[in-house]
Amino acid sequence: MAELNDGADEKTDPGAIAEAGSIGRWINKGGLLFAGGIVLSMLILLNEVVLRYVFNAPTIWAHETTIFLCGMAFLYGGLYCTARDRHIRVVLIYDSLPPAPRRVFDVLISLICMAASGFFAWASWLMVQKAAFRPDGSFRLERSGSAWDPVFPGLIKVFLLVVMAVMAVQFLILAYNYARGRK
């Protein structure tokens, strides 16, 4: 009894829901950047296939770069779905409720999700402390340890922290606007 809650008909794409506020509109606009990262990943992989199998000259950077770009897009996807109210929801009870109790559910669900996002942000911070700072406190991002050795593991952990913190704020804004009955 779960369905995709897309909040829009098939002909229009309204973007972020009104309750998401201005932060939701910014999150919605940022989705294009991360969608571009997935397209870039595809182009990098096509390039790698040609270089490896046609010219017998593979790169050392293609695999880690595509994993990094796709990982960033997937992390951002959770924030993007929050701003657009496009997520999987169990609707067995929710859809049968009249508008007033449904609004109460929206507020409670948003507050619970805010708390969960806050806990994940805290856990991310614990990872960032190890991935971005040396024991003496100086800044140095964790590296992959491969032949190319990029700082992608450290960057992904920092990005996860940022996404989870912004998601907690977004859920707080949603809870506030749902409580006010604001569209």
Side-chain angles (χ1 to χ4, degrees):
M1 291 291 172
E3 72 178 34
L4 179 62
N5 180 24
D6 64 3
D9 63 23
E10 295 175 13
K11 296 178 185 173
T12 62
D13 181 17
I17 59 173
E19 293 88 355
S22 58
I23 191 172
R25 289 189 294 279
W26 280 100
I27 292 166
N28 188 59
K29 289 178 184 176
L32 286 175
L33 175 67
F34 293 95
I38 292 177
V39 172
L40 181 60
S41 293
M42 183 237 5
L43 294 173
I44 290 170
L45 287 175
L46 284 175
N47 177 61
E48 180 67 12
V49 167
V50 170
L51 288 174
R52 179 178 299 265
Y53 296 107
V54 175
F55 298 108
N56 198 26
T59 65
I60 63 170
W61 55 269
H63 181 70
E64 287 177 304
T65 303
T66 57
I67 288 174
F68 173 72
L69 291 172
C70 290
M72 296 280 282
F74 288 131
L75 288 176
Y76 194 81
L79 187 56
Y80 186 78
C81 288
T82 300
R84 295 173 63 103
D85 195 31
R86 295 194 173 189
H87 51 85
I88 298 202
R89 173 183 287 163
V90 178
V91 295
L92 182 65
I93 298 170
Y94 184 84
D95 280 353
S96 65
L97 294 173
R102 187 180 291 191
R103 192 171 83 182
V104 171
F105 267 62
D106 286 336
V107 172
L108 291 175
I109 290 167
S110 295
L111 289 173
I112 291 167
C113 290
M114 180 201 67
S117 298
F119 285 127
F120 282 118
W122 174 253
S124 300
W125 169 245
L126 297 177
M127 286 193 313
V128 166
Q129 285 179 315
K130 294 177 184 174
F133 300 101
R134 292 181 177 147
D136 67 359
S138 61
F139 182 79
R140 184 173 189 276
L141 285 174
E142 177 183 355
R143 302 182 82 82
S144 71
S146 68
W148 185 38
D149 203 26
V151 295
F152 293 159
L155 287 176
I156 263 303
K157 290 173 184 175
V158 170
F159 187 66
L160 176 62
L161 170 63
V162 170
V163 165
M164 295 314 300
V166 172
M167 189 180 290
V169 171
Q170 178 66 88
F171 277 121
L172 179 63
I173 290 167
L174 286 169
Y176 176 76
N177 286 333
Y178 285 138
R180 291 183 55 203
R182 182 175 172 204
K183 286 266 182 197

